[in-house]
Amino acid sequence: MAINELCSELIGPALKEEFDLEPIGQPALVTPADVLAEGMTPGEGEFEVVVQCDVWPDIRWKEMEGKEKPYAGLTGKYRRKPFDQARFDAALRDLAERYARLEPYDDGEVRPLAMGDACVVNMTGYLANPDGSKGEPLPDAASGDNVEVILGTGRYMEGLVEGLVGGTVGQVKTVSVRFPDALRNKELAGKQAVFDVEILSASRRILPELTDEFADQVRPGLTVETLKEELRKAVDSQDAQEYVPARNEALGKALAEVMEVEVPETLVTNQAREKYALMMTDMRDNGMADEEIKKLISPENFDKYKELSREGIVRDFKISMAVDEIARLEGISVPAYQIEEQIQALKDQARKEGQNPEEMGDEEAMRRKVESTLERRMVYDFLAENAQLEVEYAEEEKFDEALLEKLAQESLEREQQQQQLEQQPQEEEGESGKEDSAGVDIVAESATAVVEE
């Protein structure tokens, strides 16, 4: 034991200092300690031992024809839900609405207000009585003179726009409305009201055409195509964020194919051991008895698990090494302020959950973990920008609650039938034979139903 401990203390530092190698795991004697002890005489000259130790591997990029950087232009495919065209159309329409110009009606033109028009009105409001008639006057803040109203859905309190549609200049319209439930004035929130609305003037709202001139008005230098592209990205950002893990998985698989690394067996064993222990913990958390878990823990079962996990462990290790190396090669680093912001967000979240941020553990270790996580995100974003990923757009399968409820009900009925069958009293032999026959029929029917489902 003493010689093994001595190896651990001496070999690791020697590899680092003299050969710039990073050892993995514990150094092991090539010749067993007891055999070495037989040929050793204390105090007589030097004593040589041979040890073996896995070291951190070097990464080797494959030579890719026509590519200076093998990790540039990665190809792969991932799946996500379709682009929300309806939301894009609404955003584009809303942007055009902001740049609409007003064109007053011609003098003397009597034209009913229509959706999309604008008008200037005086408004006098009253609380509504139970029968819908005018009640007490509303506070001055709820009424107003020379108020511009754009006739569009969802812009104002419910009923106002609908009540003005069809009105003409000079007309006083009596409009019934309902204040929003989320109104800041809690005394009026959700209340019904009646307004006398005098229409002072009316204008057509002319929406701009989607041209390069309009795009340049939104921001100098934009074209209609670049405007739409930016708007598409903005509209899709929330949905796209949901599928970043799927995107990164596709990038990781492609990345593992353009590099070569010999993954040390010690690392595979260590990773498999951690995963194996975590699996046992999950089983316990899910209610499995400790005695049953102990039966699963054996060298044979661990070896089987390690072989099943080997491919995934090797792939994950290669990807992790590649991401770290790309960060180094491309000079990708996380700004200090982003690390501080993320740490502060974690502390704020801990406070919301009733935890003391001071008890979150070693802050320096947390800082390193936060920096590593943010750096990996930046590398994946860099790879995605330079990749040629194929995106498969597909509608998500909807969960059929009705079907599940039907299957559950049928299963319950079969279980009740089985319980009734088991509770039938034993009769005379002849009667018993008849009951057995009936029971077989019921069970057969149940089994057939299960198979059919």
Side-chain angles (χ1 to χ4, degrees):
M1 294 297 294
I3 194 170
N4 286 326
E5 293 176 1
L6 187 62
C7 286
S8 298
E9 293 178 5
L10 299 179
I11 301 302
L15 287 173
K16 291 181 182 179
E17 295 173 7
E18 297 184 26
F19 302 99
D20 195 25
L21 295 174
E22 186 73 28
I24 300 176
Q26 297 294 326
L29 293 169
V30 174
T31 305
D34 54 349
V35 175
L36 289 173
E38 294 176 359
M40 174 183 177
T41 303
E44 292 189 3
E46 295 182 353
F47 183 73
E48 293 186 359
V49 295
V50 180
V51 298
Q52 61 181 10
C53 178
D54 282 333
V55 295
W56 204 260
D58 292 326
I59 187 171
R60 298 186 302 277
W61 297 106
K62 294 181 180 179
E63 293 187 5
M64 310 295 291
E65 186 177 352
K67 288 185 179 180
E68 181 181 352
K69 299 176 180 179
Y71 49 82
L74 295 174
T75 59
K77 181 168 66 174
Y78 70 98
R79 185 174 180 176
R80 56 154 291 177
K81 66 181 179 183
F83 177 76
D84 194 335
Q85 186 65 39
R87 191 162 60 177
F88 170 78
D89 292 341
L92 191 59
R93 186 169 56 251
D94 180 67
L95 181 63
E97 290 270 2
R98 298 180 192 181
Y99 291 86
R101 61 183 178 85
L102 299 180
E103 183 179 277
Y105 288 172
D106 296 336
D107 292 341
E109 180 183 3
V110 178
R111 179 178 180 275
L113 287 169
M115 292 295 284
D117 288 344
C119 60
V120 177
V121 300
N122 290 338
M123 300 176 62
T124 304
Y126 309 85
L127 282 174
N129 291 321
D131 62 357
S133 61
K134 299 176 185 176
E136 297 180 7
L138 290 173
D140 291 341
S143 299
D145 292 338
N146 294 310
V147 178
E148 184 182 54
V149 178
I150 297 173
L151 303 188
T153 57
R155 288 180 174 270
Y156 310 99
M157 49 195 166
E158 182 184 330
L160 176 62
V161 169
E162 293 80 0
L164 287 176
V165 170
T168 56
V169 174
Q171 185 179 9
V172 177
K173 299 269 293 183
T174 299
V175 180
S176 295
V177 304
R178 182 179 183 277
F179 287 107
D181 294 329
L183 195 68
R184 289 185 178 181
N185 187 336
K186 300 306 177 186
E187 294 182 0
L188 297 179
K191 297 288 183 64
Q192 299 288 337
V194 179
F195 279 88
D196 286 335
V197 184
E198 180 185 4
I199 303 173
L200 303 178
S201 63
S203 303
R204 300 181 183 86
R205 296 181 70 253
I206 310 299
L207 298 183
E209 295 184 13
L210 297 178
T211 62
D212 288 342
E213 289 75 15
F214 167 69
D216 188 70
Q217 185 181 0
V218 174
R219 192 174 75 233
L222 280 180
T223 66
V224 67
E225 291 304 319
T226 56
L227 171 64
K228 288 182 178 180
E229 184 60 30
E230 287 193 13
L231 192 59
R232 283 181 69 88
K233 288 181 178 179
V235 166
D236 196 44
S237 60
Q238 184 175 353
D239 288 343
Q241 193 65 29
E242 181 182 345
Y243 291 90
V244 164
R247 181 204 71 178
N248 290 352
E249 183 178 357
L251 288 170
K253 288 180 179 178
L255 196 57
E257 296 299 319
V258 299
M259 58 177 294
E260 295 178 349
V261 173
E262 287 188 22
V263 181
E265 186 64 19
T266 301
L267 190 141
V268 175
T269 300
N270 290 345
Q271 288 292 309
R273 187 177 292 118
E274 291 181 12
K275 290 176 175 289
Y276 192 66
L278 183 61
M279 183 176 68
M280 297 297 113
T281 301
D282 289 342
M283 288 181 178
R284 185 177 188 181
D285 292 343
N286 289 329
M288 181 178 284
D290 288 349
E291 291 301 319
E292 294 299 319
I293 294 176
K294 288 178 181 178
K295 294 177 182 178
L296 298 175
I297 302 176
S298 68
E300 294 78 12
N301 284 341
F302 172 72
D303 288 341
K304 291 178 182 177
Y305 177 81
K306 185 174 79 168
E307 290 309 311
L308 289 172
S309 306
R310 179 181 295 276
E311 183 179 349
I313 290 173
V314 170
R315 183 182 64 250
D316 291 345
F317 177 75
K318 290 173 66 175
I319 293 171
S320 179
M321 277 200 71
V323 168
D324 291 342
E325 180 69 2
I326 291 170
R328 185 186 70 81
L329 293 173
E330 298 295 334
I332 297 174
S333 60
V334 185
Y337 76 90
Q338 290 188 8
I339 299 174
E340 296 302 328
E341 287 178 354
Q342 186 64 28
I343 290 175
Q344 188 59 50
L346 292 173
K347 290 181 177 180
D348 292 343
Q349 184 63 33
R351 289 191 186 95
K352 288 181 181 180
E353 296 174 357
Q355 302 175 14
N356 183 356
E358 303 302 324
E359 299 176 356
M360 293 176 63
D362 184 358
E363 183 161 332
E364 188 56 36
M366 179 172 64
R367 185 181 303 276
R368 288 195 298 269
K369 185 175 182 180
V370 166
E371 182 177 10
S372 175
T373 300
L374 294 177
E375 184 180 87
R376 290 177 70 86
R377 289 180 187 173
M378 292 173 67
V379 170
Y380 274 114
D381 288 344
F382 166 80
L383 292 173
E385 289 173 3
N386 295 278
Q388 298 174 1
L389 293 180
E390 178 184 347
V391 182
E392 180 183 353
Y393 294 96
E395 292 286 355
E396 295 181 334
E397 295 183 2
K398 295 183 178 180
F399 186 69
D400 194 336
E401 293 185 10
L403 177 60
L404 183 63
E405 185 176 348
K406 177 185 177 183
L407 294 174
Q409 182 61 34
E410 292 175 353
S411 177
L412 179 61
E413 291 174 358
R414 289 195 298 272
E415 185 177 341
Q416 291 172 344
Q417 289 178 347
Q418 184 65 24
Q419 289 176 349
Q420 292 173 0
L421 179 64
E422 293 173 352
Q423 292 171 358
Q424 289 180 0
Q426 295 293 328
E427 301 292 345
E428 295 180 358
E429 184 175 354
E431 290 294 317
S432 177
K434 294 179 182 179
E435 291 177 356
D436 287 345
S437 176
V440 169
D441 290 341
I442 294 174
V443 174
E445 291 174 2
S446 298
T448 301
V450 172
V451 171
E452 289 176 349
E453 291 177 5

